Amino acid sequence: MDVLKAILATAGILFAVLLAILILLAILWLIGNYSADRLIAVASLLLTLAGFLLTIIIQLRRRR
């Protein structure tokens, strides 16, 4: 079971790193092709995802 947890944790970290790189590339692309409505849409999407992740983290901490 410990091996499975280690594999899942590693996969989660790699997934988070890849998503961070993709978000950074998307932001750089949006800044290069400046469009205010695109920037606002991406910013709102990122804020929504951050709020969703924060909600999940808080719920998981309460269960312990």
Side-chain angles (χ1 to χ4, degrees):
M1 200 63 156
D2 290 334
V3 174
L4 181 61
K5 286 182 182 179
I7 290 172
L8 289 176
T10 304
I13 291 170
L14 289 175
F15 186 68
V17 168
L18 287 175
L19 282 179
I21 291 170
L22 287 175
I23 289 170
L24 180 64
L25 289 174
I27 289 172
L28 290 175
W29 177 77
L30 285 173
I31 290 172
N33 300 324
Y34 178 72
S35 175
D37 52 344
R38 285 184 189 168
L39 289 174
I40 292 171
V42 169
S44 63
L45 177 66
L46 291 176
L47 286 173
T48 303
L49 288 174
F52 184 67
L53 290 174
L54 185 63
T55 303
I56 291 172
I57 290 169
I58 289 172
Q59 288 297 323
L60 290 176
R61 285 184 171 231
R62 286 184 183 170
R63 289 185 182 178
R64 291 182 185 176

Short mmCIF file of all heavy atoms in Angstrom, two decimals:
data_model
loop_
_atom_site.label_atom_id
_atom_site.label_comp_id
_atom_site.label_asym_id
_atom_site.label_seq_id
_atom_site.Cartn_x
_atom_site.Cartn_y
_atom_site.Cartn_z
N MET A 1 0.82 -1.20 0.00
CA MET A 1 0.00 0.00 0.00
C MET A 1 0.86 1.26 0.00
O MET A 1 0.48 2.25 -0.59
CB MET A 1 -0.93 -0.04 1.22
CG MET A 1 -2.10 0.85 1.08
SD MET A 1 -3.11 0.33 -0.31
CE MET A 1 -4.65 0.97 0.13
N ASP A 2 2.02 1.20 0.69
CA ASP A 2 2.90 2.36 0.72
C ASP A 2 3.47 2.66 -0.66
O ASP A 2 3.66 3.82 -1.01
CB ASP A 2 4.04 2.13 1.72
CG ASP A 2 3.56 2.14 3.16
OD1 ASP A 2 2.52 2.78 3.41
OD2 ASP A 2 4.21 1.52 4.01
N VAL A 3 3.72 1.62 -1.44
CA VAL A 3 4.25 1.82 -2.80
C VAL A 3 3.22 2.51 -3.66
O VAL A 3 3.55 3.43 -4.42
CB VAL A 3 4.66 0.46 -3.42
CG1 VAL A 3 5.08 0.63 -4.86
CG2 VAL A 3 5.77 -0.18 -2.61
N LEU A 4 1.96 2.11 -3.52
CA LEU A 4 0.89 2.74 -4.29
C LEU A 4 0.74 4.21 -3.92
O LEU A 4 0.59 5.07 -4.80
CB LEU A 4 -0.43 2.00 -4.05
CG LEU A 4 -1.64 2.53 -4.81
CD1 LEU A 4 -1.41 2.44 -6.31
CD2 LEU A 4 -2.88 1.77 -4.41
N LYS A 5 0.81 4.53 -2.64
CA LYS A 5 0.73 5.92 -2.20
C LYS A 5 1.89 6.74 -2.76
O LYS A 5 1.71 7.87 -3.18
CB LYS A 5 0.72 6.00 -0.68
CG LYS A 5 -0.58 5.58 -0.05
CD LYS A 5 -0.53 5.74 1.45
CE LYS A 5 -1.79 5.29 2.11
NZ LYS A 5 -1.74 5.42 3.57
N ALA A 6 3.08 6.15 -2.77
CA ALA A 6 4.25 6.86 -3.30
C ALA A 6 4.11 7.11 -4.80
O ALA A 6 4.43 8.20 -5.29
CB ALA A 6 5.52 6.06 -3.01
N ILE A 7 3.60 6.11 -5.51
CA ILE A 7 3.40 6.27 -6.96
C ILE A 7 2.35 7.33 -7.24
O ILE A 7 2.52 8.19 -8.11
CB ILE A 7 3.02 4.92 -7.59
CG1 ILE A 7 4.22 3.97 -7.56
CG2 ILE A 7 2.53 5.10 -9.02
CD1 ILE A 7 3.89 2.56 -7.98
N LEU A 8 1.26 7.30 -6.49
CA LEU A 8 0.20 8.30 -6.69
C LEU A 8 0.68 9.70 -6.32
O LEU A 8 0.34 10.67 -7.00
CB LEU A 8 -1.04 7.92 -5.88
CG LEU A 8 -1.81 6.71 -6.38
CD1 LEU A 8 -2.95 6.38 -5.43
CD2 LEU A 8 -2.34 6.95 -7.77
N ALA A 9 1.46 9.82 -5.26
CA ALA A 9 1.99 11.13 -4.88
C ALA A 9 2.93 11.66 -5.94
O ALA A 9 2.87 12.84 -6.31
CB ALA A 9 2.70 11.03 -3.53
N THR A 10 3.79 10.79 -6.47
CA THR A 10 4.71 11.21 -7.52
C THR A 10 3.95 11.61 -8.78
O THR A 10 4.27 12.63 -9.41
CB THR A 10 5.70 10.07 -7.84
OG1 THR A 10 6.36 9.69 -6.64
CG2 THR A 10 6.71 10.50 -8.87
N ALA A 11 2.96 10.83 -9.14
CA ALA A 11 2.15 11.16 -10.31
C ALA A 11 1.42 12.49 -10.10
O ALA A 11 1.32 13.30 -11.03
CB ALA A 11 1.15 10.04 -10.59
N GLY A 12 0.92 12.72 -8.90
CA GLY A 12 0.24 13.99 -8.61
C GLY A 12 1.17 15.17 -8.72
O GLY A 12 0.81 16.22 -9.25
N ILE A 13 2.40 15.01 -8.22
CA ILE A 13 3.37 16.10 -8.30
C ILE A 13 3.74 16.38 -9.75
O ILE A 13 3.80 17.54 -10.17
CB ILE A 13 4.62 15.76 -7.45
CG1 ILE A 13 4.26 15.78 -5.97
CG2 ILE A 13 5.77 16.72 -7.74
CD1 ILE A 13 5.33 15.22 -5.07
N LEU A 14 3.98 15.32 -10.52
CA LEU A 14 4.31 15.51 -11.94
C LEU A 14 3.16 16.16 -12.70
O LEU A 14 3.37 17.03 -13.54
CB LEU A 14 4.66 14.16 -12.58
CG LEU A 14 5.99 13.55 -12.15
CD1 LEU A 14 6.15 12.17 -12.77
CD2 LEU A 14 7.14 14.46 -12.55
N PHE A 15 1.94 15.76 -12.39
CA PHE A 15 0.77 16.36 -13.02
C PHE A 15 0.66 17.84 -12.67
O PHE A 15 0.38 18.67 -13.53
CB PHE A 15 -0.49 15.61 -12.57
CG PHE A 15 -1.73 16.04 -13.26
CD1 PHE A 15 -1.91 15.80 -14.61
CD2 PHE A 15 -2.74 16.69 -12.57
CE1 PHE A 15 -3.06 16.20 -15.26
CE2 PHE A 15 -3.89 17.10 -13.19
CZ PHE A 15 -4.06 16.85 -14.55
N ALA A 16 0.91 18.19 -11.41
CA ALA A 16 0.86 19.59 -10.99
C ALA A 16 1.94 20.41 -11.69
O ALA A 16 1.70 21.55 -12.11
CB ALA A 16 1.02 19.69 -9.48
N VAL A 17 3.13 19.84 -11.84
CA VAL A 17 4.21 20.55 -12.54
C VAL A 17 3.85 20.77 -14.00
O VAL A 17 4.05 21.87 -14.54
CB VAL A 17 5.54 19.77 -12.39
CG1 VAL A 17 6.61 20.31 -13.32
CG2 VAL A 17 6.03 19.81 -10.96
N LEU A 18 3.34 19.74 -14.65
CA LEU A 18 2.94 19.90 -16.05
C LEU A 18 1.84 20.93 -16.22
O LEU A 18 1.86 21.74 -17.15
CB LEU A 18 2.48 18.54 -16.62
CG LEU A 18 3.59 17.53 -16.89
CD1 LEU A 18 2.98 16.20 -17.32
CD2 LEU A 18 4.53 18.05 -17.96
N LEU A 19 0.88 20.92 -15.31
CA LEU A 19 -0.19 21.93 -15.39
C LEU A 19 0.36 23.33 -15.16
O LEU A 19 -0.07 24.28 -15.83
CB LEU A 19 -1.28 21.62 -14.36
CG LEU A 19 -2.24 20.51 -14.74
CD1 LEU A 19 -3.25 20.29 -13.63
CD2 LEU A 19 -2.94 20.82 -16.03
N ALA A 20 1.30 23.47 -14.24
CA ALA A 20 1.90 24.79 -14.00
C ALA A 20 2.63 25.27 -15.23
O ALA A 20 2.54 26.47 -15.60
CB ALA A 20 2.84 24.72 -12.80
N ILE A 21 3.35 24.38 -15.90
CA ILE A 21 4.07 24.77 -17.12
C ILE A 21 3.08 25.15 -18.22
O ILE A 21 3.27 26.16 -18.92
CB ILE A 21 4.98 23.62 -17.59
CG1 ILE A 21 6.14 23.45 -16.60
CG2 ILE A 21 5.51 23.87 -18.99
CD1 ILE A 21 6.97 22.21 -16.84
N LEU A 22 2.01 24.38 -18.37
CA LEU A 22 1.00 24.71 -19.38
C LEU A 22 0.32 26.04 -19.09
O LEU A 22 0.06 26.82 -20.00
CB LEU A 22 -0.03 23.59 -19.47
CG LEU A 22 0.43 22.31 -20.15
CD1 LEU A 22 -0.65 21.25 -20.07
CD2 LEU A 22 0.80 22.58 -21.59
N ILE A 23 0.05 26.31 -17.83
CA ILE A 23 -0.58 27.59 -17.46
C ILE A 23 0.38 28.74 -17.77
O ILE A 23 -0.03 29.77 -18.30
CB ILE A 23 -1.00 27.57 -15.98
CG1 ILE A 23 -2.19 26.65 -15.79
CG2 ILE A 23 -1.33 28.97 -15.49
CD1 ILE A 23 -2.55 26.38 -14.35
N LEU A 24 1.65 28.56 -17.43
CA LEU A 24 2.63 29.59 -17.73
C LEU A 24 2.74 29.85 -19.22
O LEU A 24 2.76 31.00 -19.67
CB LEU A 24 3.99 29.19 -17.15
CG LEU A 24 5.13 30.18 -17.39
CD1 LEU A 24 4.84 31.49 -16.68
CD2 LEU A 24 6.44 29.59 -16.93
N LEU A 25 2.78 28.79 -20.02
CA LEU A 25 2.85 28.95 -21.47
C LEU A 25 1.59 29.63 -22.01
O LEU A 25 1.67 30.47 -22.91
CB LEU A 25 3.05 27.60 -22.15
CG LEU A 25 4.43 26.97 -21.97
CD1 LEU A 25 4.44 25.56 -22.56
CD2 LEU A 25 5.50 27.82 -22.62
N ALA A 26 0.44 29.27 -21.46
CA ALA A 26 -0.81 29.90 -21.90
C ALA A 26 -0.82 31.38 -21.56
O ALA A 26 -1.26 32.21 -22.36
CB ALA A 26 -2.00 29.19 -21.26
N ILE A 27 -0.33 31.73 -20.37
CA ILE A 27 -0.30 33.14 -19.98
C ILE A 27 0.66 33.92 -20.89
O ILE A 27 0.35 35.02 -21.35
CB ILE A 27 0.08 33.28 -18.50
CG1 ILE A 27 -1.07 32.79 -17.62
CG2 ILE A 27 0.43 34.72 -18.15
CD1 ILE A 27 -0.75 32.69 -16.16
N LEU A 28 1.82 33.32 -21.16
CA LEU A 28 2.77 33.99 -22.06
C LEU A 28 2.19 34.14 -23.46
O LEU A 28 2.37 35.17 -24.11
CB LEU A 28 4.09 33.20 -22.11
CG LEU A 28 4.92 33.24 -20.85
CD1 LEU A 28 6.13 32.32 -20.99
CD2 LEU A 28 5.36 34.66 -20.52
N TRP A 29 1.46 33.15 -23.93
CA TRP A 29 0.83 33.23 -25.24
C TRP A 29 -0.24 34.32 -25.25
O TRP A 29 -0.35 35.08 -26.21
CB TRP A 29 0.22 31.88 -25.60
CG TRP A 29 -0.51 31.90 -26.90
CD1 TRP A 29 0.04 31.88 -28.15
CD2 TRP A 29 -1.93 31.96 -27.09
NE1 TRP A 29 -0.95 31.92 -29.09
CE2 TRP A 29 -2.16 31.97 -28.47
CE3 TRP A 29 -3.00 32.01 -26.21
CZ2 TRP A 29 -3.45 32.02 -29.00
CZ3 TRP A 29 -4.27 32.07 -26.73
CH2 TRP A 29 -4.50 32.07 -28.11
N LEU A 30 -1.02 34.39 -24.17
CA LEU A 30 -2.07 35.41 -24.11
C LEU A 30 -1.48 36.81 -24.05
O LEU A 30 -2.02 37.75 -24.63
CB LEU A 30 -2.97 35.17 -22.90
CG LEU A 30 -3.94 34.00 -23.03
CD1 LEU A 30 -4.65 33.77 -21.72
CD2 LEU A 30 -4.93 34.27 -24.13
N ILE A 31 -0.37 36.97 -23.33
CA ILE A 31 0.25 38.28 -23.26
C ILE A 31 0.83 38.65 -24.62
O ILE A 31 0.74 39.80 -25.06
CB ILE A 31 1.33 38.30 -22.15
CG1 ILE A 31 0.65 38.23 -20.79
CG2 ILE A 31 2.20 39.56 -22.26
CD1 ILE A 31 1.61 38.06 -19.63
N GLY A 32 1.40 37.66 -25.32
CA GLY A 32 1.93 37.91 -26.66
C GLY A 32 0.84 38.28 -27.64
O GLY A 32 1.01 39.13 -28.51
N ASN A 33 -0.31 37.65 -27.53
CA ASN A 33 -1.48 37.96 -28.37
C ASN A 33 -2.49 38.70 -27.51
O ASN A 33 -3.59 38.22 -27.28
CB ASN A 33 -2.11 36.67 -28.92
CG ASN A 33 -1.16 35.88 -29.75
OD1 ASN A 33 -0.36 36.45 -30.46
ND2 ASN A 33 -1.23 34.58 -29.65
N TYR A 34 -2.11 39.87 -27.03
CA TYR A 34 -2.88 40.59 -26.02
C TYR A 34 -4.33 40.74 -26.42
O TYR A 34 -4.67 41.25 -27.48
CB TYR A 34 -2.27 41.96 -25.77
CG TYR A 34 -3.06 42.76 -24.77
CD1 TYR A 34 -3.03 42.43 -23.43
CD2 TYR A 34 -3.86 43.82 -25.18
CE1 TYR A 34 -3.76 43.14 -22.50
CE2 TYR A 34 -4.58 44.54 -24.26
CZ TYR A 34 -4.53 44.20 -22.93
OH TYR A 34 -5.26 44.90 -22.03
N SER A 35 -5.18 40.29 -25.55
CA SER A 35 -6.62 40.47 -25.67
C SER A 35 -7.18 40.51 -24.26
O SER A 35 -7.04 39.55 -23.50
CB SER A 35 -7.23 39.32 -26.46
OG SER A 35 -8.63 39.43 -26.48
N ALA A 36 -7.78 41.63 -23.92
CA ALA A 36 -8.24 41.83 -22.55
C ALA A 36 -9.27 40.79 -22.13
O ALA A 36 -9.23 40.27 -21.02
CB ALA A 36 -8.82 43.23 -22.39
N ASP A 37 -10.19 40.46 -23.03
CA ASP A 37 -11.22 39.49 -22.64
C ASP A 37 -10.63 38.10 -22.46
O ASP A 37 -11.07 37.35 -21.58
CB ASP A 37 -12.37 39.47 -23.64
CG ASP A 37 -11.93 39.29 -25.08
OD1 ASP A 37 -10.73 39.47 -25.35
OD2 ASP A 37 -12.78 38.96 -25.93
N ARG A 38 -9.60 37.75 -23.21
CA ARG A 38 -8.94 36.45 -23.00
C ARG A 38 -8.22 36.44 -21.66
O ARG A 38 -8.28 35.45 -20.93
CB ARG A 38 -7.93 36.17 -24.11
CG ARG A 38 -8.54 35.78 -25.41
CD ARG A 38 -7.46 35.43 -26.38
NE ARG A 38 -7.99 35.25 -27.72
CZ ARG A 38 -7.25 35.17 -28.79
NH1 ARG A 38 -5.95 35.27 -28.69
NH2 ARG A 38 -7.80 34.98 -29.96
N LEU A 39 -7.53 37.53 -21.34
CA LEU A 39 -6.83 37.59 -20.06
C LEU A 39 -7.80 37.51 -18.89
O LEU A 39 -7.53 36.83 -17.90
CB LEU A 39 -5.99 38.86 -19.98
CG LEU A 39 -4.75 38.91 -20.88
CD1 LEU A 39 -4.11 40.29 -20.80
CD2 LEU A 39 -3.76 37.85 -20.50
N ILE A 40 -8.92 38.19 -19.00
CA ILE A 40 -9.92 38.14 -17.94
C ILE A 40 -10.50 36.74 -17.81
O ILE A 40 -10.70 36.23 -16.70
CB ILE A 40 -11.03 39.18 -18.20
CG1 ILE A 40 -10.45 40.59 -18.04
CG2 ILE A 40 -12.22 38.97 -17.28
CD1 ILE A 40 -11.39 41.69 -18.49
N ALA A 41 -10.75 36.08 -18.95
CA ALA A 41 -11.29 34.72 -18.92
C ALA A 41 -10.31 33.76 -18.26
O ALA A 41 -10.70 32.94 -17.42
CB ALA A 41 -11.62 34.25 -20.34
N VAL A 42 -9.02 33.86 -18.60
CA VAL A 42 -8.03 32.97 -18.01
C VAL A 42 -7.86 33.27 -16.52
O VAL A 42 -7.76 32.35 -15.70
CB VAL A 42 -6.68 33.08 -18.75
CG1 VAL A 42 -5.57 32.38 -17.99
CG2 VAL A 42 -6.81 32.51 -20.14
N ALA A 43 -7.85 34.55 -16.15
CA ALA A 43 -7.71 34.91 -14.74
C ALA A 43 -8.89 34.38 -13.93
O ALA A 43 -8.71 33.84 -12.84
CB ALA A 43 -7.60 36.43 -14.59
N SER A 44 -10.10 34.50 -14.47
CA SER A 44 -11.26 33.98 -13.75
C SER A 44 -11.23 32.46 -13.66
O SER A 44 -11.61 31.89 -12.64
CB SER A 44 -12.56 34.46 -14.40
OG SER A 44 -12.66 33.94 -15.71
N LEU A 45 -10.75 31.80 -14.71
CA LEU A 45 -10.63 30.35 -14.67
C LEU A 45 -9.62 29.92 -13.61
O LEU A 45 -9.89 29.00 -12.83
CB LEU A 45 -10.20 29.82 -16.04
CG LEU A 45 -9.96 28.32 -16.13
CD1 LEU A 45 -11.26 27.57 -15.91
CD2 LEU A 45 -9.33 27.96 -17.45
N LEU A 46 -8.48 30.60 -13.54
CA LEU A 46 -7.47 30.27 -12.54
C LEU A 46 -7.98 30.52 -11.13
O LEU A 46 -7.73 29.72 -10.22
CB LEU A 46 -6.19 31.07 -12.79
CG LEU A 46 -5.41 30.69 -14.05
CD1 LEU A 46 -4.22 31.61 -14.23
CD2 LEU A 46 -4.98 29.24 -14.01
N LEU A 47 -8.70 31.61 -10.92
CA LEU A 47 -9.26 31.88 -9.60
C LEU A 47 -10.31 30.84 -9.21
O LEU A 47 -10.38 30.41 -8.06
CB LEU A 47 -9.88 33.28 -9.56
CG LEU A 47 -8.87 34.43 -9.53
CD1 LEU A 47 -9.59 35.77 -9.66
CD2 LEU A 47 -8.07 34.39 -8.25
N THR A 48 -11.11 30.42 -10.17
CA THR A 48 -12.10 29.38 -9.91
C THR A 48 -11.42 28.07 -9.53
O THR A 48 -11.83 27.40 -8.57
CB THR A 48 -13.00 29.17 -11.14
OG1 THR A 48 -13.61 30.41 -11.48
CG2 THR A 48 -14.05 28.12 -10.88
N LEU A 49 -10.39 27.69 -10.28
CA LEU A 49 -9.66 26.46 -9.97
C LEU A 49 -8.99 26.55 -8.61
O LEU A 49 -8.99 25.58 -7.84
CB LEU A 49 -8.63 26.17 -11.05
CG LEU A 49 -9.19 25.70 -12.39
CD1 LEU A 49 -8.07 25.60 -13.41
CD2 LEU A 49 -9.90 24.39 -12.24
N ALA A 50 -8.41 27.69 -8.29
CA ALA A 50 -7.76 27.86 -6.98
C ALA A 50 -8.79 27.73 -5.86
O ALA A 50 -8.54 27.08 -4.84
CB ALA A 50 -7.05 29.20 -6.92
N GLY A 51 -9.95 28.34 -6.02
CA GLY A 51 -11.00 28.22 -5.02
C GLY A 51 -11.50 26.80 -4.87
O GLY A 51 -11.74 26.32 -3.76
N PHE A 52 -11.62 26.10 -5.99
CA PHE A 52 -12.06 24.70 -5.96
C PHE A 52 -11.04 23.83 -5.23
O PHE A 52 -11.41 23.01 -4.38
CB PHE A 52 -12.27 24.22 -7.40
CG PHE A 52 -12.81 22.83 -7.50
CD1 PHE A 52 -14.09 22.54 -7.07
CD2 PHE A 52 -12.05 21.82 -8.04
CE1 PHE A 52 -14.60 21.26 -7.17
CE2 PHE A 52 -12.53 20.54 -8.15
CZ PHE A 52 -13.82 20.25 -7.71
N LEU A 53 -9.76 24.01 -5.54
CA LEU A 53 -8.72 23.25 -4.87
C LEU A 53 -8.65 23.57 -3.38
O LEU A 53 -8.46 22.68 -2.55
CB LEU A 53 -7.36 23.50 -5.52
CG LEU A 53 -7.18 22.91 -6.91
CD1 LEU A 53 -5.85 23.34 -7.51
CD2 LEU A 53 -7.29 21.39 -6.86
N LEU A 54 -8.82 24.83 -3.04
CA LEU A 54 -8.82 25.22 -1.63
C LEU A 54 -9.98 24.57 -0.89
O LEU A 54 -9.82 24.09 0.23
CB LEU A 54 -8.90 26.74 -1.52
CG LEU A 54 -8.79 27.32 -0.12
CD1 LEU A 54 -7.42 27.00 0.48
CD2 LEU A 54 -9.01 28.81 -0.15
N THR A 55 -11.14 24.51 -1.52
CA THR A 55 -12.30 23.86 -0.92
C THR A 55 -12.03 22.37 -0.69
O THR A 55 -12.36 21.82 0.37
CB THR A 55 -13.53 24.03 -1.83
OG1 THR A 55 -13.75 25.41 -2.05
CG2 THR A 55 -14.76 23.40 -1.20
N ILE A 56 -11.43 21.72 -1.66
CA ILE A 56 -11.10 20.29 -1.52
C ILE A 56 -10.11 20.09 -0.38
O ILE A 56 -10.27 19.17 0.44
CB ILE A 56 -10.55 19.73 -2.84
CG1 ILE A 56 -11.66 19.67 -3.88
CG2 ILE A 56 -9.94 18.34 -2.64
CD1 ILE A 56 -11.18 19.30 -5.26
N ILE A 57 -9.08 20.94 -0.32
CA ILE A 57 -8.07 20.80 0.74
C ILE A 57 -8.70 20.98 2.11
O ILE A 57 -8.42 20.22 3.05
CB ILE A 57 -6.93 21.80 0.51
CG1 ILE A 57 -6.12 21.38 -0.72
CG2 ILE A 57 -6.03 21.90 1.73
CD1 ILE A 57 -5.13 22.42 -1.18
N ILE A 58 -9.57 21.97 2.25
CA ILE A 58 -10.22 22.20 3.54
C ILE A 58 -11.09 21.01 3.92
O ILE A 58 -11.09 20.57 5.07
CB ILE A 58 -11.06 23.51 3.48
CG1 ILE A 58 -10.12 24.71 3.43
CG2 ILE A 58 -12.00 23.60 4.68
CD1 ILE A 58 -10.82 26.02 3.17
N GLN A 59 -11.83 20.44 2.96
CA GLN A 59 -12.67 19.29 3.25
C GLN A 59 -11.84 18.07 3.65
O GLN A 59 -12.24 17.32 4.53
CB GLN A 59 -13.55 18.94 2.04
CG GLN A 59 -14.65 19.93 1.79
CD GLN A 59 -15.64 20.00 2.94
OE1 GLN A 59 -15.96 19.00 3.56
NE2 GLN A 59 -16.12 21.18 3.23
N LEU A 60 -10.70 17.87 3.00
CA LEU A 60 -9.86 16.74 3.34
C LEU A 60 -9.23 16.89 4.73
O LEU A 60 -9.06 15.92 5.45
CB LEU A 60 -8.76 16.56 2.29
CG LEU A 60 -9.24 16.05 0.93
CD1 LEU A 60 -8.08 16.02 -0.05
CD2 LEU A 60 -9.87 14.67 1.06
N ARG A 61 -8.90 18.12 5.11
CA ARG A 61 -8.31 18.34 6.43
C ARG A 61 -9.33 18.11 7.53
O ARG A 61 -8.97 17.71 8.64
CB ARG A 61 -7.74 19.75 6.54
CG ARG A 61 -6.45 19.89 5.78
CD ARG A 61 -5.88 21.26 5.98
NE ARG A 61 -4.55 21.27 5.42
CZ ARG A 61 -3.50 21.68 6.07
NH1 ARG A 61 -3.61 22.15 7.28
NH2 ARG A 61 -2.31 21.66 5.51
N ARG A 62 -10.58 18.41 7.29
CA ARG A 62 -11.61 18.22 8.32
C ARG A 62 -11.85 16.74 8.60
O ARG A 62 -12.28 16.39 9.69
CB ARG A 62 -12.93 18.86 7.87
CG ARG A 62 -12.89 20.35 7.94
CD ARG A 62 -14.23 20.94 7.59
NE ARG A 62 -14.17 22.40 7.59
CZ ARG A 62 -15.13 23.16 7.15
NH1 ARG A 62 -16.23 22.64 6.66
NH2 ARG A 62 -14.99 24.47 7.17
N ARG A 63 -11.62 15.87 7.64
CA ARG A 63 -11.87 14.44 7.82
C ARG A 63 -10.84 13.80 8.74
O ARG A 63 -11.10 12.77 9.32
CB ARG A 63 -11.85 13.73 6.48
CG ARG A 63 -13.05 14.06 5.63
CD ARG A 63 -13.04 13.25 4.37
NE ARG A 63 -14.17 13.60 3.54
CZ ARG A 63 -14.40 13.08 2.37
NH1 ARG A 63 -13.58 12.17 1.89
NH2 ARG A 63 -15.44 13.43 1.67
N ARG A 64 -9.67 14.37 8.85
CA ARG A 64 -8.60 13.75 9.64
C ARG A 64 -8.83 13.88 11.10
O ARG A 64 -9.44 14.32 11.82
CB ARG A 64 -7.26 14.41 9.33
CG ARG A 64 -6.82 14.07 7.95
CD ARG A 64 -5.48 14.68 7.70
NE ARG A 64 -5.07 14.46 6.31
CZ ARG A 64 -3.99 14.93 5.79
NH1 ARG A 64 -3.17 15.65 6.50
NH2 ARG A 64 -3.69 14.69 4.56
#
